[in-house]
């Protein structure tokens, strides 16, 4: 069947904003994958095609973050391919999906691949649309689950540094963990995400929530402004021409649309306690509470922590971040006492550094752009890794190997 006929007959869902790396062994398959990447349904995906097959993949992911999908071409026989997949399991993050294009029609191999958690096995020669369909099905098949994880960041007090954490966290997820990320500025009247990323888009979140009848995936795509390859922004208009009185469910549709298309969604939640803020926090996959080491922050952080814990008995705990620690001459609550009083572990402690944070804010840059190898940038990278559940590159992935093996059953039968 020619590609043209196939495209008329097959309905293939658009592929979400995922990252895919292909490691091919033959020029034909590499060309097919490259053509698939150019297909309209793969528009949002970031695709990189290289040669070297599974050994190159193993080598690459020893030092680099794993994409959402790894596509391997294997020219060889069953034995070496299975051994290479086991090696790959050691360096891949949990949740990475693996597609294999092989050259042998071997039922035992197919079964072994499925047992190891490989999502699909295609037999070469493959058509362009076969590749597009295989990738699409990873995310659109029944039971595939939502693509995206939402991370809501909220301050225990105004000015605690919540937006700074949200933006730097999103940047680290996109840049250092190679996750396609959208940052959503929910501080509609006063949000600073546009300023912080040096962007001044004409449209943004206001168009999405004030005209719900027009809201769909295409509109959201048009409203996103691109900050870098993997990072987009849904900016707040930061205008006072209208007041922001949202209904409790005003954000539901927008968040569902983003969840269907983007792996990492960082919600910069303003310091408010309205019905829609409470709903946004309770329904997030991860919550980060940012507090300063003083009494009002402590009281509010504890109230937020307890309320959210109670509303989410079956979820992970909110993460507590202390920011602006060590303001000269300011009497402060010690980090350990703060954590004890809230009853939570600290996920991160950020020093007060007026020079560093002030420079970043005024230049529309992230901390890691001002000071790449500093402790603060490292803290944001670690936090991004914790809330996204993905290992940082160039670090031991040992802690992820067990969950990976358990989840995907990528273990050789003993
Ligand atoms: N660790 C820090 N050291 C020094 N300054 C900081 C630090 N964290 C944030 N700031 C600065 O504090 C100010 C407030 O930060 P930010 O806007 O992130 O707080 P917020 O909690 O989001 O505030 P809002 O309540 O307005 O949403 C900004 O000028 C920011 O640059
Ligand atoms: Mg803020």
């Amino acid at each position: 069947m020619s590609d043209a006929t196939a495209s008329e007959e097959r309905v293939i869902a658009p592929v979400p904003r995922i990252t895919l790396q292909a490691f091919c062994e033959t020029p034909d398959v590499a060309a097919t994958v490259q053509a698939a990447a150019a297909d309209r349904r793969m528009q949002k995906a970031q695709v990189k095609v290289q040669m070297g097959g599974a050994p190159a993949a193993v080598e690459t992911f020893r030092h680099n973050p794993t994409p959402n999908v790894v596509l391997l071409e294997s020219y060889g026989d069953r034995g070496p391919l299975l051994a290479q997949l086991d090696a790959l399991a050691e360096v891949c993050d949990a949740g990475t999906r693996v597609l294999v294009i092989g050259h042998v029609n071997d039922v035992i191999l197919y079964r072994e691949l499925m047992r190891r958690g490989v999502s699909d096995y295609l037999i070469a020669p493959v058509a362009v649309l076969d590749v597009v369909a295989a990738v699409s099905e990873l995310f659109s098949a029944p039971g595939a689950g939502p693509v995206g994880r939402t991370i809501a960041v909220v301050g225990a007090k105004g000015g605690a540094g919540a937006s700074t954490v949200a933006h730097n966290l999103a940047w680290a997820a996109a840049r250092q963990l190679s996750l396609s990320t959208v940052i959503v500025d929910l501080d509609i009247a006063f949000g600073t995400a546009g300023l912080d990323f040096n962007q001044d888009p004409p449209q943004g979140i206001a168009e999405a929530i004030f005209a719900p009848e027009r809201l769909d995936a295409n509109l959201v795509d048009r409203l996103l402004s691109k900050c870098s390859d993997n990072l987009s922004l849904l900016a707040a208009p930061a205008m006072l021409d209208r007041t922001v009185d949202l209904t409790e469910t005003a954000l539901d549709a927008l968040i569902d649309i983003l969840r269907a298309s983007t792996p990492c969604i960082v919600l910069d939640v303003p310091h408010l306690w309205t019905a829609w803020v409470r709903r946004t926090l309770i329904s997030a996959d991860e919550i980060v509470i940012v507090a300063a080491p003083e009494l009002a922050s402590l009281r509010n952080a504890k109230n937020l922590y307890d309320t959210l814990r109670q509303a989410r008995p079956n979820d992970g705990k909110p993460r507590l971040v202390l920011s602006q620690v060590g303001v000269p001459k300011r009497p402060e609550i010690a980090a350990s006492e703060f954590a004890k009083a809230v009853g939570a572990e600290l996920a991160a402690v950020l020093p007060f550094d007026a020079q560093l944070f002030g420079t970043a804010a005024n230049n529309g840059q992230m901390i890691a752009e001002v000071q790449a190898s500093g402790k603060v940038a490292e803290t944001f990278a670690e936090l991004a890794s914790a809330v996204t559940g993905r290992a940082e590159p160039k670090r031991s992935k040992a802690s992820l190997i067990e969950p990976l093996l358990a989840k995907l059953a990528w273990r050789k039968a003993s």
Side-chain angles (χ1 to χ4, degrees):
M1 193 189 298
S2 77
D3 279 359
T5 329
S7 73
E8 280 156 26
E9 289 172 6
R10 285 165 85 166
V11 178
I12 302 174
V15 172
R17 214 168 269 107
I18 48 113
T19 46
L20 182 151
Q21 253 170 288
F23 296 85
C24 301
E25 294 198 333
T26 63
D28 281 357
V29 168
T32 306
V33 177
Q34 204 64 268
D39 183 84
R40 65 179 169 86
R41 280 147 291 215
M42 296 268 284
Q43 233 171 29
K44 286 191 214 143
Q46 296 253 345
V47 180
K48 195 169 160 194
V49 183
Q50 56 207 86
M51 302 304 286
V58 174
E59 201 39 48
T60 300
F61 302 131
R62 258 191 237 294
H63 309 290
N64 293 291
T66 12
N68 301 103
V69 181
V70 176
L71 194 160
L72 300 174
E73 182 193 3
S74 169
Y75 202 76
D77 291 330
R78 190 192 309 159
L81 172 60
L82 294 178
Q84 285 157 354
L85 280 171
D86 290 338
L88 187 67
E90 305 255 313
V91 293
C92 266
D93 281 327
T96 298
R97 321 213 186 171
V98 180
L99 291 175
V100 178
I101 299 178
H103 291 257
V104 284
N105 192 350
D106 172 350
V107 178
I108 298 175
L109 171 62
Y110 182 81
R111 267 200 225 122
E112 284 294 314
L113 292 176
M114 295 302 123
R115 230 162 51 75
R116 282 169 167 76
V118 166
S119 300
D120 205 352
Y121 178 70
L122 311 177
I123 299 168
V126 282
V128 172
L129 279 186
D130 291 337
V131 176
V132 178
V135 177
S136 169
E137 261 160 42
L138 294 177
F139 302 96
S140 61
V147 172
R149 185 196 280 239
T150 53
I151 300 153
V153 185
V154 67
K157 211 181 116 172
S163 297
T164 305
V165 170
H167 305 166
N168 282 280
L169 181 68
W171 190 94
R175 193 61 78 87
Q176 282 151 316
L177 303 175
S178 292
L179 272 178
S180 278
T181 304
V182 168
I183 173 138
V184 185
D185 194 342
L186 294 177
D187 192 349
I188 294 159
F190 300 111
T192 52
L195 295 178
D196 284 1
F197 288 101
N198 204 7
Q199 298 266 333
D200 188 13
Q203 291 187 306
I205 188 163
E207 283 71 19
I209 50 180
F210 291 129
E213 67 289 348
R214 288 178 47 219
L215 185 62
D216 61 14
N218 287 334
L219 177 68
V220 172
D221 276 348
R222 273 187 278 130
L223 297 177
L224 291 174
S225 64
K226 204 169 165 118
C227 301
S228 63
D229 268 358
N230 276 337
L231 185 65
S232 299
L233 169 66
L234 198 51
M239 301 230 296
L240 301 183
D241 53 346
R242 68 201 306 172
T243 54
V244 183
D245 307 297
L246 303 181
T247 61
E248 179 167 4
T249 54
L251 296 176
D252 288 10
L254 171 64
I255 291 175
D256 284 348
I257 290 172
L258 286 169
R259 246 206 194 110
S261 72
T262 308
C264 178
I265 302 140
V266 177
L267 306 171
D268 179 358
V269 182
H271 175 69
L272 295 173
W273 193 246
T274 60
W276 68 265
V277 164
R278 188 182 54 191
R279 185 179 178 89
T280 303
L281 292 173
I282 289 175
S283 52
D285 294 310
E286 285 278 343
I287 302 171
V288 179
I289 300 172
V290 182
E294 40 79 49
L295 194 59
S297 260
L298 172 58
R299 182 201 61 188
N300 297 350
K302 177 151 183 57
N303 284 344
L304 270 172
Y305 188 85
D306 291 346
T307 302
L308 293 170
R309 280 281 283 152
Q310 207 181 8
R312 301 156 48 95
N314 308 316
D315 287 272
K317 300 170 189 160
R319 319 235 177 196
L320 183 60
V321 172
L322 264 192
S323 185
Q324 313 200 19
V325 172
V327 175
K329 297 197 178 156
R330 177 171 77 171
E332 289 182 356
I333 301 170
S336 57
E337 280 178 40
F338 197 104
K340 209 164 114 200
V342 176
E345 279 169 36
L346 290 177
V349 177
L350 295 161
F352 175 78
D353 187 336
Q355 170 83 32
L356 178 61
F357 284 83
T359 306
N362 281 351
N363 292 354
Q365 286 181 307
M366 292 297 108
I367 296 298
E369 293 174 301
V370 176
Q371 195 185 75
S373 53
K375 180 81 185 69
V376 175
E378 197 181 307
T379 304
F380 284 127
E382 282 165 8
L383 189 61
S385 173
V387 293
T388 58
R390 292 172 67 94
E392 279 179 80
K394 300 192 190 76
R395 299 183 60 139
S396 163
K397 294 185 178 180
S399 58
L400 282 162
I401 291 173
E402 277 311 312
L404 172 69
L405 290 174
K407 195 170 163 200
L408 299 181
W410 275 27
R411 199 197 294 270
K412 237 180 174 167
S414 51

